């Protein structure tokens, strides 16, 4: 158990809909990362937050957004969903914001868009 | 854009050492090299990371070439629980060119 929790575990929804994925980082970690894992694209970094502020963006679509709240939990919002958005979504947390720290990953949320 | 290249798969026998290679020929001077592994149906798990010098921890060793264009993750005695996909990653949060790139990973099979 990494100490990072993600809810829900599974989500099935229809095209065009909007969903929210939730992540609670390990106690004491200030940084949260979001990743997408699909069969064809592998693991892709989406976005990073550090202590409530956006720190870096990766391959995140404009239809996707995220935020980190004062209690440090984070939410990833996916809207106007398409079939291609079906994937595993992981969040990870780390103590600091830089590459010198290891990341601890949650168990993931499996999103299926039908 | 810096990338990492890993063999698609490797096989090892239990209790033998395993050397997992990674090429990153376009690495820049401040890119950190991280290794994570992913067991079936789980999120990735941190293994080790380094910048220039070789690194050891309780899980593994990381050997970084002098020119930093390649690195090798060393599992000293493979166990069945080490069967996983191993990812070599470049991470650099400095400057205007943020980088956090996962390779395609190496599927390690450990034979009893």
């Amino acid at each position: 158990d990494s100490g990072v929790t993600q809810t829900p575990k599974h989500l099935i929804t229809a095209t065009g809909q909007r969903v929210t994925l939730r992540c609670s980082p390990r106690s004491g970690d200030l940084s949260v990362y979001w990743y997408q894992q699909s069969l064809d694209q592998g693991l892709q970094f989406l976005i990073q937050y550090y202590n409530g502020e956006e720190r870096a963006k990766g391959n995140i679509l404009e239809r996707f957004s995220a935020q980190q709240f004062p209690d440090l939990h984070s939410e990833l919002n996916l809207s106007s969903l398409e079939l291609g958005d079906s994937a595993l979504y992981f969040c990870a947390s780390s103590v600091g914001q830089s590459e010198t720290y290891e990341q601890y990953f949650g168990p993931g949320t499996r999103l299926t868009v039908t | 854009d810096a990338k990492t290249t890993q063999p698609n798969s490797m096989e090892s026998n239990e209790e033998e050492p395993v050397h997992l290679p990674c090429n990153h020929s376009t690495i820049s001077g401040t890119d950190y090299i991280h290794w994570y592994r992913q067991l079936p149906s789980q999120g990735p798990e941190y293994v080790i990371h380094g910048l220039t010098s070789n690194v050891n921890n309780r899980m593994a060793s990381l050997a970084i070439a002098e020119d930093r264009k390649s690195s090798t993750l060393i599992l000293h005695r493979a166990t069945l629980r080490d069967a996983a996909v191993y990812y070599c990653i470049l991470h650099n949060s400095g400057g205007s060119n943020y980088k956090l790139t996962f390779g395609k990973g190496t599927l390690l099979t450990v034979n009893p």
Side-chain angles (χ1 to χ4, degrees):
Chain A
D1 183 0
S2 67
V4 178
T5 60
Q6 289 187 249
T7 56
K9 275 192 166 183
H10 303 275
L11 200 47
I12 301 174
T13 189
T15 54
Q17 295 298 304
R18 173 189 168 94
V19 297
T20 297
L21 312 184
R22 184 188 168 103
C23 170
S24 292
R26 286 189 329 154
S27 176
D29 284 358
L30 298 178
S31 199
V32 169
Y33 298 78
W34 284 99
Y35 295 89
Q36 180 192 61
Q37 186 173 38
S38 60
L39 280 174
D40 54 342
Q41 297 286 336
L43 261 165
Q44 289 202 87
F45 164 63
L46 296 179
I47 196 165
Q48 179 196 3
Y49 277 81
Y50 176 73
N51 204 19
E53 300 289 326
E54 183 184 299
R55 174 67 178 87
K57 272 187 174 180
N59 298 321
I60 189 166
L61 299 172
E62 284 192 15
R63 301 183 284 108
F64 295 1
S65 65
Q67 57 185 129
Q68 186 179 28
F69 295 87
D71 67 352
L72 300 176
H73 90 272
S74 178
E75 294 180 354
L76 179 68
N77 301 297
L78 315 177
S79 61
S80 303
L81 284 167
E82 302 175 0
L83 294 177
D85 297 327
S86 295
L88 265 169
Y89 291 84
F90 290 104
C91 82
S93 72
S94 66
V95 169
Q97 61 179 318
S98 79
E99 63 281 345
T100 60
Y101 299 97
E102 61 263 38
Q103 296 178 37
Y104 295 87
F105 281 75
T109 293
R110 182 175 293 281
L111 173 67
T112 303
V113 182
T114 61
Chain B
D1 193 22
K3 292 181 182 177
T4 62
T5 305
Q6 302 176 250
N8 289 334
S9 62
M10 289 186 65
E11 209 167 315
S12 173
N13 295 319
E14 206 174 3
E15 297 190 9
E16 289 184 357
V18 182
H19 290 234
L20 297 163
C22 180
N23 284 317
H24 27 78
S25 57
T26 57
I27 192 170
S28 62
T30 50
D31 289 351
Y32 270 72
I33 302 160
H34 287 246
W35 283 81
Y36 285 78
R37 70 182 186 182
Q38 188 172 21
L39 280 66
S41 303
Q42 294 188 26
E45 174 189 31
Y46 169 78
V47 178
I48 201 165
H49 74 284
L51 181 62
T52 56
S53 305
N54 294 344
V55 184
N56 299 296
N57 66 20
R58 62 174 181 81
M59 285 183 71
S61 295
L62 175 60
I64 301 174
E66 201 168 324
D67 63 5
R68 300 208 329 123
K69 293 186 176 184
S70 66
S71 61
T72 303
L73 178 70
I74 303 165
L75 306 178
H76 295 287
R77 290 180 71 225
T79 70
L80 297 178
R81 287 177 297 177
D82 292 323
V85 177
Y86 286 78
Y87 293 100
C88 170
I89 297 141
L90 299 181
H91 190 181
N92 189 339
S93 65
S96 58
N97 197 17
Y98 189 98
K99 181 188 303 170
L100 180 45
T101 310
F102 278 71
K104 295 190 181 298
T106 296
L107 174 63
L108 176 66
T109 302
V110 180
N111 300 314

